[in-house]
Amino acid sequence: MDDFRYIRFLDEIGLEDLPLVGGKNASLGEMYRELSAEGVRIPNGFATTVAAYREMLEQSDTLGELHAVLDGLDADDTVDLARRGALARDIVYKVGLPDAVAVEIIAAYRQLQVEYGVDVRLAVRSSATAEDLPTASFAGQQDTYLNIRGDDALLEACRRDFASLFTDRAIHYRVEHGYDHFDVALSIGVMKLVRSDLTASGVVFTLDTESGFRDVVLITGSYGLGENVVQGNVDPDEFYVHKPTFSAGHRVVLRRTLGGKAVQMILVDDDEGRTTRDIPTPRLDRERFCIDDAEVLELADCAMRIERHYNRPMDIEWAKDGVDGKIYIVQARPETVSSQRPAAASEHHVLDDVARVLVMGRSVGDKIATGRAHVITDIADMAKFQAGEVLVTDATSPDWEPVMKLAAAIITNRGGRTCHAAIVARELGVPAVVGAGTATTTIKDGTVVTVSCAGGDIGCVYAGAVPFHIVRDEVDDLARPATKIMLNLGNPELAFKTSFLPNDGVGLARMEFIINEYIKAHPMALLYPEKVSDPQARATLTQLTRGYPDGETFFVQRLSEGIGTIAAAFWPKPVVVRMSDFKSNEYAKLVGGLDFEPDEENPMLGFRGASRYAHPAYAGGFRLECEAMIRVRNVMGLTNVIVMLPFVRRIKEADQVLERMADFGLARGSNGLKVYAMCEIPNNVILVDEFAKRFDGFSIGSNDLTQLTLGVDRDSDLVAFDFDERDDGVKAMIRMAVEGCRRNGIYSGICGQAPSDYPEMAEFLVEVGIESMSLSPDTVIATTRHVLKIEARERAAFKRSAAQQRPGFAGRHAHPTLR
C-alpha cells in the first residue's frame, strides 16, 4: 500500500506534526529525520494519526457513552476514579479498530518486516496530543506493550493502547492540568523493539535532575528492557559527563555510582500470553556497571546533539541492542521540572538535631519533611491514604499519582533518581528517598518519621520528628563585591546545588572529606593490602575495590571523580583543592589505617600536611593523591583546579614537597598549574617573602594560625575561652601575611570561619586588602551583603580622603571598585 490515510512513517513526521501524531511520535520523527545523519540512531517505525482515533470514537455512540461515564468526575476520589476509569477503558476497547485502520496498520507492519526481517519484534507505545510538551510531560500516562509479534498480537496491542487513554492516572493527570478529556487524542507508535533484554537500557537527562545544573549529562542504566528504569523498579547505575570539557575534547566520565540493579526485564512467550517478565540479576552483573565508559560517552554525545537541536534540556530514553551491539535512542521529551525551577531565590533546609536512622536511599530534591508513615503494600489500599502522611511503598507507577500529591514525603524500597517516584516527587516539590531497600518492613505503619534530602545524594529517614529550619534568601539582584567571596566545600554531592549561590569559586575543597566518604580506606592499605593485619579490614578492602583492577586504580578514580565533580560544578571559576590534611589519628580510622600510622601524643602538631608528603612512610599515598590531581586537570580537562598544600612548616619542607610533586608529574607551572600553601603557622608569616618564591598564593587558615599564635589547643574545652581569631596578635599575623602576599605579587585569601562568625573580622579583612574570603555555603549571602556595605563605606571614605589613605587602609586602592 503506497498511500496511507491513517499511518505516517517516522521519516514523514516532525515536531510540526504534533497535532497529527502526538508529542512522542512527533519527537521520534523529528530525531529520525533530522539527527540520524549526526549519529543519533533511532529504530524505524510508524505512527497512527489522530484521525484513526477519531474514526474509532465515531463508531456507534462511543463519545456519548464516555461523556456519561466521565462528566462530573471527582478525580481525587480514588475509588470513584478507579470505577469510572475501568468503564471508560472497557467502552473504548469494545469498540475495536475500524477495518480501514486495521488494514493500514498491518500494511505498515509488513514494511517493517521487509526492513528488519519477518520475525521483527515490536514496541507499541501511546503518543497523546497533550504529551511531551515543553511545560508538561504527561509521560507514562498511557500503556506500552513490548515484544509484540504477529498480526493479531499487534492489533490487540493497538486496541489496548487506544483504551489506555483512559487509565486512572491519565484521567487524573488531565483533570489536574486542566485538559479536557475530549480535546486530547491518541496516536499509536509502532517501532522495532531494540533487544535491550540481552544487554542494558536506561534514561538520560541533559541536566542534573536534583539541582537543575545544566553543564552535565546524567545517564542512568540497568540490565534488560528499559521499563524497569522508567518505572523505578530498579536502582540503576548513574554516570555524569561534563558538557564544557567534553565539547573541548576531554572524553571522560566525570563521576559514576554503581546501582543495585536487582532485577532485569526479559522477553518471554508463554502460554499465558505474557511478553515480558522480571528475573533476578546475577550477582556478578550487579557488581559491575551495565555499560562501559565508551558507551557512556556515546550516549552523552547523542544527548548533547539532541539538546542542541531542541534548544532545551531533554529527558531521553536509550537502549542497547544485544543483537547488533549498537545504542539506540527510543524517546526524547523536554525536561519539565528541574529546568523550570526559578533560580532567583536560595532556599535550603537544615536539620537542627540528630536521631536514629531507619533507612537510607537515593535522595530526591533537597528538602526535609516530617509526617506519619503510611505503609502501603497493595495499590488497592491507596484510598486509605491521608493528606500530609509520608507514603512508604515498594515502588510507584503512574497509578499512584493521585495519592502521591497528598504526601508530605515519599519513600520507596526500589528505584533510582530517574524512577517514577523521583520524577513525580520533583514535580510536586516534596522530598523522596528512593531505593531504600527495606523501607516497608523497617518503618512501622503509623509512626512519625522525618525524611531528609538535605545532605546530598544520600537521603535519610529518621525516627520521630526531628526539628529543622529553612533558610531563604533572594539572590537575583546581589552585586559582586571587589573582595572575592568563595566557598568552602568538601561534599561533591552538594556541588551542583551550591554552585547556584553567588560566588567567585571554591577557596577550599577538602580532599579528606572525599577520601573519608567515598574511598573509606587508607591509601597505603589500598597499595599494600597484604600488609593489613586485620582480616576484617582486608575483607572490607576487597569489597570496596570490587569492579576495579586494583586498589590504586580505585583510589585515583574515586578521588579524581569527587574532586572533578566540584571543579565541574564551578567551571571555569577557580577551585582550590587542599591535599589531604588528616592527622595520624584520623588516618588510622580509615580501613587498614592502623597498620600504617604512628601513635602520637599530639597529632595536631605531628605527622600531618607537608611533613607527611615529604616522608618515605607516605610516599605511595602522596603519589596517589598527585595522580588523582593529574587526572582531574589533564584527563578530565578541569584546569580550573589549583593545588594547595597544608601545614608547610619550613622552607626546606616546601622545596621537598614541590620536588616530589614534580617527580610524580604534578609540577608547578605545568599546564598552567598554580600551587598555593596554607598560611597557618607563624613561620609562614615570618618568612612570607621566601615562601612567596615557591607558591602562587597563600590561603590563611585562621583556626590553626590562631591556635599556634596564641598557644591554645583549639580542641580543648578547658581553654576554649582563650581561642579567639579577633585577638590583636592574630590580626597582626593576618595583616603581615596579606601585606607580604601583596608585596610579592601573589594571591591572598582566607578559608577560616572568622569572617563568617564575626562581622568585625570581615570588616578587618576588607580593610587590610585581602583578595578573597572563602566561607561555608550557609553564610555566603549574609557575608556578601556585609562586605558590600563595608566596601561602599570604604569607597566613600576613600573619595573623601582623595589621595591620602587613612590609617589601616594601605593597599585598598588596589581594588578597582574602591578607586
Side-chain angles (χ1 to χ4, degrees), residues 198-199 222-223 237 258-262 264 280-291:
L198 305 173
T199 51
S222 189
Y223 298 109
D237 297 334
L258 187 68
K261 306 184 295 294
Q264 60 190 87
T281 303
R283 181 180 61 83
L284 291 178
D285 284 344
R286 293 199 308 269
E287 294 182 353
R288 64 183 179 88
F289 290 102
C290 64
I291 52 176

Side-chain angles (χ1 to χ4, degrees), residues 124 147-158:
V124 179
N147 194 25
I148 302 301
R149 288 189 296 174
D151 296 359
D152 292 341
L154 174 57
L155 294 177
E156 173 69 9
C158 289

